[in-house]
Amino acid sequence: MLSDLFSPIRIQHMEVKNRLLMSAMSINFGVDENCHVTDQLTEYFAIRAKGGVGMMLVGGGGVHPSGQELPDLPQMYEDSCIPALKRMVNRIKEYDVCFGVQLLHGGRQSYLPEKVAPSAIPAPAVVKGPVRALEIEEIRNLAICFGQAARRCREAGFDFIELHGAHGYLINQFLAPNSNIRTDEYGGSFENRTRFLFEVIDAVKNTAGKDYPVGIRINGNDYIENGWELKDTLRIAPLLEQAGVAYIHVSGGVYGSTELTIPSMYTPQGCFIHMAEAVKQVVNVPVITVGRIKDPEMANAAIKDGKADMVALGRSIIADPEYPNKAKSGNASLIRPCVGCCLGCIHAVLAKEPGSCVVNPDVGREFKLAEEKMPKKGQKILVAGAGPSGLAAARMFAQRGHQVRILEKGSDQGGLLALAATAPGRGELGDILRFFRNELERLGVAVEYNTPLSTDVLASFDPDHVILATGSMPDMPVIKGLFKSKMKLVTSVDVFTDAQAAGDRVIVLGGGFTGLITAHKLGDMGKEVVVLNRKKSFAEEMSSNDRYYLRERLKACGVVLYKMVAVKSFTDDGVSFTSKGEPVTLEGFDTVVISEKHQPVRDAKHLEKQSRAKFHMIGDAKTPRHLMFCVAEAEEAGRSL
């Protein structure tokens, strides 16, 4: 039972039906050339409002052109934005949800040629470029801008606003000593560094109305040297309550922090709950917690145990808009899970691309899919391969009323993704495989194991279409001395299939995602490992957030990384190469693990000539690449017939 999570709560005059908040996220799509919201963003929110969340926030609401965080976020700094916002609110209001906007100024973390901040100190990571210190009159004017933006939100019909005072944006930059070295009334002492925030709150109250609910998102800890800390949050929280804030939403991290604002699967779930729990001890207003809370039971426990009054979900609601409804109805096993890879939701956005999701290709396409029509007549679909691409395609075909069979030549499902999920810290990759398994069980589609595609199967089933999702395998490179060496020669697949496949001193050839998780697995077993990467960068196919935590773990395991490697020759017990032009010789090794390129497995393609069926290749069988593209391609195949 999740009775605590789905109990109502009152926040000032707002009656909220449950304790789930869809947190604000800078999704970087759904605005026009004037940064006015469009149907794309409206339908993105509508499907999530329909999914049962109690409160939800539009993210990235810019209060001034000098603080527009990303190019394709909604602006709240001109009255011309109001008509489009009204249309959005009217669309969402048909659902029982409290709808708000998070207002922010990016400060030095804005993707602009010239950035402004409390002090002329560049951001420690991600955003580059010069920063100009704000003049006092500009600071006071920006507080007024927050108030005017809140007024526009109220006129548009939003129920509340949230001030973004966390994650290294402008308000947080004023709060933190490492980003605020001013010597005037806005810098130095705690009272001076917090002055701007309270001026913003006053401006919002005076402009939008004292009865208009104003929440705040604030860091419990910046997790960076000389940053804002939990003791500071505990000191300011009662003052925020006195100032009339409706709730306090406690998060953590800034660009460049040791604990990332959007942590990957390597970080424990519920990583920021302890800070909300501490804040709850010093205030009476509702406290909201956040931080990889993907399990409804964990969310319910946070409420039940008095650690928070509400739980904010970001990526989990991106991955499955129906998360609240499924959890409430007892169908949590059918929730499409966020796997914590950070690739579509944050990595793409920081590259100034539209946000997306590895496990949910519908993100950003909701307004188009709303008009989708189901096929008039079902067809017979044969799927060869029970990896993620095959499972995703089979699910979509079955949902759309087709008759589906899945063949798997091996004894288990999941393909290479199932192996990757056994790497240390990457178990959540298996969550999406469990989701597909549960979905196919719900849809009555079974996987036939130890059954390769054959002429007999084609003849007996007589499919209309065959989906080849047969995956890929490691490709063996041709390098001088490699096959003459006395070292054991294995692949990354061998390592994940048999923990004893490699010896005690190992050279991993390949510095991509597979190479690094292979090195981590071996290093975690206590083996001595070096990685030779022939490219300039490591694991380019991973998100920077995910890669950061993996690199830290490799460092802790003592794994040595070489990049820009040009191999001269492998020897009996080592290798001679250059790294960034410098010569290196390694000796005394017993194993080489090949973990570079993969080649598609397409053996079954020749059977097309022996069947009336049309064959389609998807996933790694088409071109080896990242999970995000494989799932998206699989679901598109399921919709295309």
Side-chain angles (χ1 to χ4, degrees):
M1 291 292 292
L2 302 171
S3 56
D4 295 277
L5 188 61
F6 289 97
S7 63
I9 184 173
R10 186 178 181 86
I11 300 179
Q12 290 186 349
H13 66 262
M14 292 190 297
E15 295 287 348
V16 187
K17 66 183 176 185
N18 61 44
R19 306 301 181 97
L20 287 171
L21 164 71
M22 176 183 166
S23 57
M25 290 167 283
S26 298
I27 202 70
N28 206 40
F29 63 65
V31 297
D32 62 18
E33 65 276 7
N34 298 310
C35 289
H36 297 161
V37 299
T38 65
D39 289 346
Q40 183 185 20
L41 192 63
T42 296
E43 291 308 310
Y44 163 82
F45 281 108
I47 195 170
R48 285 160 178 82
K50 183 180 179 182
V53 70
M55 294 174 68
M56 61 196 311
L57 280 159
V58 177
V63 302
H64 190 272
S66 67
Q68 187 81 0
E69 181 203 0
L70 287 158
D72 291 319
L73 296 180
Q75 63 99 338
M76 310 287 166
Y77 46 77
E78 294 175 347
D79 284 358
S80 60
C81 72
I82 297 174
L85 292 173
K86 280 185 176 179
R87 289 192 293 271
M88 170 184 273
V89 170
N90 290 337
R91 172 75 176 92
I92 303 304
K93 283 300 181 181
E94 65 181 88
Y95 305 105
D96 182 18
V97 62
C98 293
F99 195 28
V101 176
Q102 186 186 76
L103 299 178
L104 88 160
H105 187 292
R108 66 181 185 174
Q109 290 184 173
S110 301
Y111 282 80
L112 295 168
E114 183 185 87
K115 289 164 274 292
V116 295
S119 302
I121 303 172
V126 184
V127 180
K128 308 298 182 183
V131 179
R132 177 179 64 82
L134 288 160
E135 301 292 339
I136 286 182
E137 195 56 38
E138 290 178 300
I139 296 171
R140 292 170 180 164
N141 181 62
L142 284 177
I144 294 171
C145 289
F146 272 94
Q148 290 294 333
R151 186 261 304 168
R152 294 182 186 102
C153 291
R154 185 165 197 175
E155 288 186 17
F158 287 100
D159 299 299
F160 68 104
I161 62 107
E162 179 180 276
L163 300 174
H164 201 336
H167 302 169
Y169 296 114
L170 186 66
I171 292 174
N172 177 260
Q173 291 162 30
F174 272 97
L175 298 176
N178 71 345
S179 52
N180 183 353
I181 57 172
R182 300 180 72 97
T183 56
D184 57 19
E185 62 198 272
Y186 289 98
S189 67
F190 178 87
E191 290 75 15
N192 284 355
R193 286 183 285 110
T194 60
R195 187 183 306 278
F196 177 63
L197 171 55
F198 288 106
E199 288 182 352
V200 167
I201 295 171
D202 286 344
V204 170
K205 292 286 184 181
N206 292 334
T207 309
K210 295 191 182 301
D211 63 332
Y212 193 47
V214 179
I216 182 166
R217 193 174 210 187
I218 192 167
N219 273 356
N221 196 326
D222 285 354
Y223 294 110
I224 199 166
E225 186 177 354
N226 199 29
W228 183 261
E229 299 178 3
L230 183 56
K231 61 181 176 61
D232 301 310
T233 310
L234 298 179
R235 183 177 176 183
I236 200 174
L239 302 177
L240 291 169
E241 182 175 14
Q242 292 172 23
V245 300
Y247 64 80
I248 300 174
H249 182 177
V250 186
S251 187
V254 301
Y255 289 180
S257 57
T258 55
E259 295 295 328
L260 303 186
T261 295
I262 303 178
S264 85
M265 65 185 78
Y266 288 109
T267 303
Q269 295 178 35
C271 54
F272 297 147
I273 291 178
H274 66 285
M275 295 189 292
E277 181 181 15
V279 172
K280 191 162 165 50
Q281 308 308 308
V282 299
V283 295
N284 294 308
V285 294
V287 175
I288 302 175
T289 190
V290 72
R292 278 185 36 79
I293 307 172
K294 56 184 276 187
D295 180 3
E297 294 287 351
M298 175 181 282
N300 190 74
I303 307 301
K304 182 177 181 179
D305 297 342
K307 296 179 179 180
D309 298 291
M310 292 191 72
V311 171
L313 302 178
R315 288 173 288 173
S316 288
I317 299 291
I318 290 181
D320 194 337
E322 285 285 322
Y323 179 113
N325 287 341
K326 289 178 180 178
K328 186 178 182 180
S329 62
N331 292 314
S333 65
L334 298 181
I335 293 173
R336 189 193 295 233
C338 166
V339 296
C341 66
C342 305
L343 195 68
C345 54
I346 182 62
H347 189 73
V349 167
L350 292 180
K352 294 187 281 188
E353 297 174 358
S356 57
C357 179
V358 164
V359 301
N360 183 5
D362 294 352
V363 172
R365 303 170 63 208
E366 294 86 356
F367 71 117
K368 293 182 178 179
L369 297 176
E371 302 174 358
E372 184 181 37
K373 296 180 180 179
M374 298 296 283
K376 294 180 180 179
K377 180 183 178 182
Q379 300 187 62
K380 296 172 73 174
I381 311 296
L382 187 61
V383 178
S389 295
L391 297 174
R395 169 182 173 271
M396 184 58 69
F397 280 121
Q399 277 190 324
R400 294 174 62 79
H402 299 292
Q403 183 182 349
V404 183
R405 282 183 69 183
I406 310 175
L407 311 180
E408 169 55 50
K409 67 178 182 180
S411 59
D412 203 357
Q413 63 177 264
L416 295 180
L417 185 65
L419 295 181
T422 66
R426 302 200 71 82
E428 286 180 51
L429 290 174
D431 290 352
I432 188 61
L433 296 176
R434 282 188 286 275
F435 167 75
F436 287 135
R437 181 188 64 215
N438 293 338
E439 280 285 278
L440 291 170
E441 183 177 325
R442 177 180 67 86
L443 293 164
V445 180
V447 178
E448 301 172 35
Y449 296 108
N450 303 307
T451 309
L453 184 62
S454 66
T455 53
D456 290 342
V457 172
L458 287 170
S460 64
F461 187 56
D462 190 27
D464 298 298
H465 296 271
V466 173
I467 309 300
L468 291 183
T470 43
S472 65
M473 291 296 289
D475 193 11
M476 299 298 284
V478 178
I479 302 175
K480 184 179 178 181
L482 179 61
F483 297 101
K484 295 181 179 179
S485 173
K486 294 182 180 178
M487 293 183 289
K488 185 188 295 187
L489 185 61
V490 298
T491 70
S492 53
V493 172
D494 296 326
V495 171
F496 282 104
T497 304
D498 177 7
Q500 304 306 316
D504 294 325
R505 302 194 71 211
V506 185
I507 298 168
V508 175
L509 182 61
F513 162 73
T514 305
L516 292 195
I517 66 169
T518 303
H520 185 203
K521 181 179 179 72
L522 295 169
D524 195 58
M525 295 169 64
K527 299 178 185 293
E528 181 181 344
V529 183
V530 298
V531 176
L532 307 186
N533 181 23
R534 295 200 265 187
K535 297 182 178 180
K536 293 181 179 180
S537 302
F538 290 95
E540 295 171 303
E541 64 271 48
M542 296 179 74
S543 74
S544 55
N545 291 37
D546 200 15
R547 185 171 57 243
Y548 164 77
Y549 286 106
L550 176 55
R551 290 287 298 267
E552 290 297 304
R553 288 189 169 213
L554 289 169
K555 191 186 304 180
C557 290
V559 174
V560 179
L561 305 177
Y562 294 95
K563 66 180 179 179
M564 298 174 65
V565 166
V567 178
K568 293 181 178 178
S569 178
F570 280 90
T571 63
D572 284 349
D573 65 346
V575 61
S576 176
F577 61 95
T578 61
S579 174
K580 296 187 286 188
E582 297 295 320
V584 181
T585 299
L586 301 178
E587 298 176 332
F589 286 79
D590 52 43
T591 308
V592 177
V593 179
I594 303 301
S595 190
E596 284 192 316
K597 296 180 181 180
H598 275 230
Q599 58 181 349
V601 176
R602 302 172 179 169
D603 298 347
K605 183 70 168 67
H606 73 278
L607 295 173
E608 185 171 15
K609 296 179 181 179
Q610 304 175 39
S611 170
R612 71 175 184 86
K614 184 176 180 180
F615 279 48
H616 312 263
M617 282 186 294
I618 64 171
D620 278 7
K622 184 176 182 180
T623 304
R625 59 231 139 110
H626 193 276
L627 175 65
M628 180 162 69
F629 304 109
C630 293
V631 173
E633 184 177 73
E635 295 207 357
E636 193 59 35
R639 285 193 167 101
S640 65
L641 303 182

